[in-house]
Amino acid sequence: MARRRLLVSLTAAAVVASIAAAGSPGAAAKPKASPPDKVVIIVVDALSKEIVEKYDMKNVEYLMAQGVDTPNGYLGHTGSVTVATHNVLTTGMQPRNMGWTNEGYRDVRGLIGPAGGLYITSNFGAAEMAPLQRAAGAPHLSDYLDDTGKVFTVSPKGYAAYGLSGPGSANTSVITFASKTCPVPGSTTGATQRRRAPTGINVPAYISAECGSRYVVARDTIYDTGQLPASLYPATDDRYVVGNDPAHQGGDVWATDAVLDIMGHEKDAWSGIFVSLPGVDKAAHMWGGINDPEDATPGYDPMTHMEYATATADAQVGRIMRALKDSGELDSTLVVLTADHGSVAADEGHFHGTLGAGNDYGYYNWYYGDPLNDVFYDKPQPSLQPLVATGNLGLSYSDSSLNVWLTDQSPAKVAEAAAIMEDMPDVTAVWRRDGDHFTRITPVRHDRMGTAERAWFDAKAQELVDTQAADHGPDLIATLPDDTTYSVLGDHGGIQRTSQQIPIVFAGSYLSHRDLDAEVTSIDIMPTILEAMGIAPTFTMDGTAYPLPYKNKQ
């Protein structure tokens, strides 16, 4: 098993060497003739700068060194979760202005169901996201790009794919995973097996969902993740894990193979490709991020762990860059490398979920309530029980922050809930939604933070929680210090530097390696892309368009 990890690492190193030999992104001697006419966005889920450094992700580090890096950049919003950020990236809007803010959603206007109904947004597909995206009014990047070519979004996570893509048009394709039943090869009894297969919107025929296709991958395989802490959110198939079948690899390799197939088949017909690589995120959730015990795990299978996941994701970044270079498209393509959030790793004594028996018990840590699009999550961790006992908790979402939607939103009931949240373990402050901002209503517990973390809190906490200030967002937020989660041992969601400090890198298209010194955040990616491509926005975005530095610019 150890040899498999080594092979991935060697592949990543080889790709770095080949890119470097060909020249850095944008290193051609001729002047920039025109703005880029294509864009590729690579989202490595949960990729904090801390993870890049610890696991020495050479392709990512190469792009950070040779492209336009943003050393002072950060995510810039809460909830710092996949289901929010993917939509942020391609609208340039803060969560409070884009349709939903976090994993919870109150349907105040009855856009997808009964007015006031509570939902879990990571269960949303196109049918639920599209009405909220349209109601928000902000065009997606695909809406601008599909005038000049086809736009493709690839993600093993459905909600990530539909967030990145937007509602789209006939010129927009979304490729994600669904379930499929296939015959067992060689069986004479008609035996079947469950599989994962591609689905989505306008899926090309060469991304086939037929049984036996390269894009149909294994299911019902748990590797070493059926034990704590991974069993809180285990890998039960090859949606997020590469798998053992070289002809049907899943996870990040599946997504990248689809991207390369698109580039090969569509050639000059595409104008945008957005891809989400979820392997690092899955490993971090299961094993506690940078605290992953790796080979100390009983029955250790490196495929599900952080070292393998980071090496795999890094290799895919290199493969995409190499394909752009080999096809001659790199000079006309703007490449954006970023993440949807970082990863908070709970230290001993700062995990406040329940290590419950049974696979997927982590969902009972993440959620409490009876959302209209899921089961009744009725097994709250002890820390949440006093809030549940009020009988007024409509929905809660807990990760590295605590987010609460109350049934009775009267001032007295909000104050009651806030007082309870203030006394919950490791809470640093409680914030009440007041219109377009959150008001901090408890003292700040600086004593629960380190020196650098205190400075970060004082500089950024208000800005970050305010990005959720919408009537469909939480009524109360409790912030937590670093190294603290209420859900699984590695998680997202909060204001912590490890959750917020992510790479934001621009490359390709004759770009210089001179960095942007501004505090670039995720909402700035969309307007910066439009400016670089010479596209006039038709909607006022929340983000700022930063001029990118070019080599040999005319």
Side-chain angles (χ1 to χ4, degrees), residues 10 43 89 102 115 130 152 181 195 197 222 257 263 286 294 336 373 377-378 390 406 419 422 514 544:
L10 288 173
V43 186
L89 292 173
N102 207 320
F152 296 87
T181 300
R195 288 290 182 261
I222 201 165
D257 282 358
M263 290 180 180
M286 291 192 297
E294 293 287 347
V336 181
N373 61 341
Y377 289 103
D378 58 352
T390 66
L406 299 175
E422 182 181 8
R514 181 161 52 88
T544 298

Side-chain angles (χ1 to χ4, degrees), residues 203-246:
V203 178
Y206 52 83
I207 310 291
S208 172
E210 295 301 314
C211 293
S213 160
R214 175 269 167 276
Y215 291 104
V216 176
V217 304
R219 200 169 176 186
D220 301 322
T221 305
I222 201 165
Y223 304 101
D224 63 346
T225 69
Q227 59 187 310
L228 291 171
S231 59
L232 291 173
Y233 183 49
T236 55
D237 57 33
D238 292 351
R239 179 194 292 263
Y240 306 133
V241 175
V242 172
N244 291 317
D245 185 346

